[in-house]
Amino acid sequence: QVQLVESGGGLVQAGGSLRLSCAASGGTFSTYYMGWFRQAPGKSREFVASIARSGLTTYYADSVKGRFTISRDNAKNTVYLQMLSLKPEDTAVYFCAADPRAYYGLPYRAFEFSYWGQGTQLTVSS
């Protein structure tokens, strides 16, 4: 069973950038598909990005496409979310997620991920 710990959240001005990290332990990281989700106050959790085991394939929500980049370092058991051109509507708690199961295409729905981190808060001020 894998444990996930997110870090890197904080307060940033609109237009700024930030990189989130998610460190995994307790499992063979390279066998897990990884994803990022977010949840804003009063809203349901939404998909942000996911990445294949190899890191060669990625998938993004339309709302972040072109601004966010998901990547992973299997040697460091870490997945990243680089965020550029941040907007106030990006404010949310960001969660890292993992699952070893293969699907047709990359996973992007919450039920497709078995393991979750505790989240890290990102606040984008206007």
Side-chain angles (χ1 to χ4, degrees), residues 4-124:
L4 305 171
V5 178
E6 302 94 336
S7 62
L11 175 64
V12 62
Q13 289 188 330
S17 61
L18 204 65
R19 189 179 78 163
L20 304 182
S21 300
C22 172
S25 62
T28 304
F29 181 71
S30 61
T31 66
Y32 288 86
Y33 292 89
M34 301 298 297
W36 286 97
F37 288 74
R38 66 186 182 186
Q39 188 166 15
K43 295 187 177 181
S44 58
R45 191 168 299 189
E46 67 170 352
F47 169 75
V48 175
S50 59
I51 188 166
R53 297 162 175 165
S54 65
L56 295 179
T57 306
T58 57
Y59 182 56
Y60 297 93
D62 288 343
S63 58
V64 306
K65 198 174 297 182
R67 299 189 298 122
F68 291 10
T69 302
I70 187 172
S71 62
R72 66 191 295 163
D73 186 337
N74 286 345
K76 295 183 178 180
N77 293 348
T78 302
V79 63
Y80 304 98
L81 186 67
Q82 178 69 54
M83 304 179 291
L84 305 177
S85 303
L86 284 164
K87 305 175 182 180
E89 51 264 44
D90 294 319
T91 295
V93 177
Y94 282 72
F95 298 90
C96 172
D99 200 280
R101 295 171 293 179
Y103 293 89
Y104 182 80
L106 290 178
Y108 64 95
R109 294 167 289 191
F111 72 83
E112 294 175 319
F113 292 89
S114 299
Y115 304 103
W116 294 83
Q118 292 301 306
T120 185
Q121 175 72 47
L122 169 67
T123 302
V124 183

